[in-house]
Amino acid sequence: MSDVVYDLREVRRARYAVAAVFAVHGAVTGSFATRVPWIQDHASVGAGQLGLALAFPALGASVAMPLAGRISHTFGARNALRGLIALWTLSLVLPSLSPNLLTLCLALFVYGATAGMADVAMNALGVEVEERLGRSIMSGLHGMWSAGALVGSAAGTLAAHLGSDARLHHALAAGVLTVLGVASCAWVLDLQPAEDEEPPPRFALPPRSALLIGAVGFCAVFAEGASLDWSAVYLRDRLETSAGLAAACTTGFTLTMAIARIAGDRVVDRFGSVRTVRVSGVLAVLGGLMIVVADRPAVAMSGFALMGLGIAVVVPLCFAAAGRSGPNPSLAIAGVATITYTSGLVAPSAIGGLAQATSLMVSFGLVTVLACGLVAFAGVLRAGDRDRPKVAPESSAVPDGQP
């Protein structure tokens, strides 16, 4: 992208605009997740078939994410994000319209593909805004995603409680979120490629730097997926708690992550990416050890809370490091995103399979071992630390997109 100097007010406005896009992206995910039981009944699929169908979003995302860089190069960052976020919000209606397994798999493939491309585009713009402000914002942006997911899931829970048809619920949600997402894109940075900049390839393997950064993200997302899907089961089956207390553990884990992400930027600015992730990794390991040895619900719940606190800022910092790790930020971000999506897909089933063969305690022992990777390999995130901001003084307004 061309090295344009923006007015500080424009960059600040772009920060809030990208944050709104992150929240919209999260709200789509929350809206979908709460209506999966309705979608399962409507498509007349069993648990095993549903598990197969739910693998297609990650597959679609993995295939499509490398295209995001090419789209941004062709249409400019603002137009690309505007189009991709609209495709993502509108794709929310597809799963609830699916009458059988085949159409559900196809719908979820499209749903995942649009989600992944919008994810890459908004993270790339977030990295650009962070670069120009000269301070960390990626953790807060991902915190806005979590907040949006909570709002979307709350609305979905209410719709399910009222017994509303998911087709109507998702059509209304898609309409509202499309308007909000497209409107927010009006204020993101309108980055354009330099005249001599080669377009990125449509499909390419991620650079080696992205693989190393993605490995750190893999560890964090594995712990996140395991905790989200299995924390309630862990308390109910291993510690014999009530269903309400078990559910409260999952809610507490989610809230801990959201709060830590929103507050994480100040910590990153003060201590840097590497030290922040190393300390976060220590907290995650301590949380994992508490989960494994817990003999009372309070100990396990505290462990899951520490786990959420420890992994919260890792993925945002992985995206920030990927965006600064080479000459093609979108390709590197797509590579990291592919690895983290894969981890989120693998984690729940891996935990379940290991638990069936051994026990849930052993499964979370594996999560704890992977959390050690955050401590050991945090150094690869050094690229996430920022240089001097590229903004003009507030008084010298520079037209958007002009050098």
Side-chain angles (χ1 to χ4, degrees):
M1 294 295 174
S2 57
D3 192 15
V4 178
V5 177
Y6 286 87
D7 184 279
L8 181 58
R9 288 170 296 185
E10 290 180 302
V11 179
R12 287 173 174 168
R13 184 176 61 190
R15 174 188 179 182
Y16 297 126
V18 174
V21 173
F22 268 79
V24 167
H25 196 287
V28 175
T29 302
S31 299
F32 167 75
T34 53
R35 305 313 303 270
V36 169
W38 190 99
I39 293 169
Q40 179 184 9
D41 292 341
H42 180 68
S44 301
V45 297
Q49 291 175 318
L50 178 63
L52 171 65
L54 290 175
F56 275 77
L59 179 61
S62 299
V63 170
M65 279 189 289
L67 291 171
R70 184 77 175 219
I71 293 171
S72 294
H73 183 277
T74 302
F75 298 102
R78 180 185 292 169
N79 287 332
L81 182 60
R82 182 184 285 125
L84 291 174
I85 199 66
L87 288 175
W88 162 233
T89 52
L90 292 172
S91 74
L92 175 61
V93 304
L94 297 178
S96 61
L97 297 175
S98 304
N100 53 50
L101 177 62
L102 176 60
T103 54
L104 181 60
C105 290
L106 292 174
L108 289 174
F109 183 90
V110 174
Y111 173 86
T114 54
M117 289 189 292
D119 198 334
V120 171
M122 68 189 192
N123 273 286
L125 272 168
V127 170
E128 277 288 342
V129 172
E130 184 177 84
E131 181 90 356
R132 293 165 191 275
L133 284 176
R135 64 176 186 272
S136 177
I137 66 166
M138 290 300 292
S139 180
L141 292 180
H142 283 255
M144 289 298 296
W145 188 97
S146 298
L150 285 172
V151 171
S153 62
T157 300
L158 177 60
H161 178 71
L162 296 175
S164 70
D165 189 309
R167 290 169 293 189
L168 175 61
H169 164 215
H170 283 169
L172 292 173
V176 172
L177 293 172
T178 299
V179 171
L180 292 175
V182 171
S184 298
C185 289
W187 292 283
V188 302
L189 298 180
D190 190 18
L191 300 175
Q192 301 290 336
E195 292 183 4
D196 58 347
E197 184 177 337
E198 289 291 328
R202 289 182 176 87
F203 293 99
L205 293 175
R208 182 177 298 179
S209 60
L211 295 177
L212 296 173
I213 294 167
V216 176
F218 183 96
C219 296
V221 174
F222 193 97
E224 180 180 354
S227 299
L228 280 173
D229 286 7
W230 288 96
S231 55
V233 178
Y234 193 92
L235 262 72
R236 185 195 65 192
D237 291 358
R238 184 163 185 268
L239 300 176
E240 300 179 343
T241 65
S242 66
L245 189 61
C249 179
T250 303
T251 302
F253 171 83
T254 305
L255 285 173
T256 301
M257 281 199 65
I259 293 169
R261 280 179 169 173
I262 291 171
D265 290 320
R266 291 184 179 181
V267 177
V268 175
D269 281 333
R270 180 165 184 178
F271 298 105
S273 301
V274 176
R275 281 194 289 176
T276 298
V277 171
R278 281 186 178 142
V279 173
S280 296
V282 171
L283 293 177
V285 171
L286 290 175
L289 291 174
M290 290 177 68
I291 294 167
V292 170
V293 304
D295 57 356
R296 297 190 305 276
V299 177
M301 293 176 76
S302 299
F304 280 111
L306 266 181
M307 181 73 73
L309 185 64
I311 64 177
V313 302
V314 177
V315 172
L317 292 180
C318 287
F319 281 120
R324 300 185 182 92
S325 63
N328 194 327
S330 293
L331 183 60
I333 290 173
V336 170
T338 300
I339 295 170
T340 57
Y341 268 68
T342 301
S343 180
L345 174 66
V346 168
S349 57
I351 293 296
L354 186 57
Q356 176 130 16
T358 55
S359 68
L360 272 174
M361 183 176 70
V362 173
S363 295
F364 276 91
L366 172 62
V367 173
T368 305
V369 170
L370 287 176
C372 293
L374 303 179
V375 182
F377 303 111
V380 302
L381 302 184
R382 200 173 304 279
D385 292 326
R386 289 151 307 286
D387 299 321
R388 188 175 56 186
K390 293 187 285 186
V391 295
E394 288 194 62
S395 58
S396 58
V398 178
D400 199 25
Q402 297 297 318

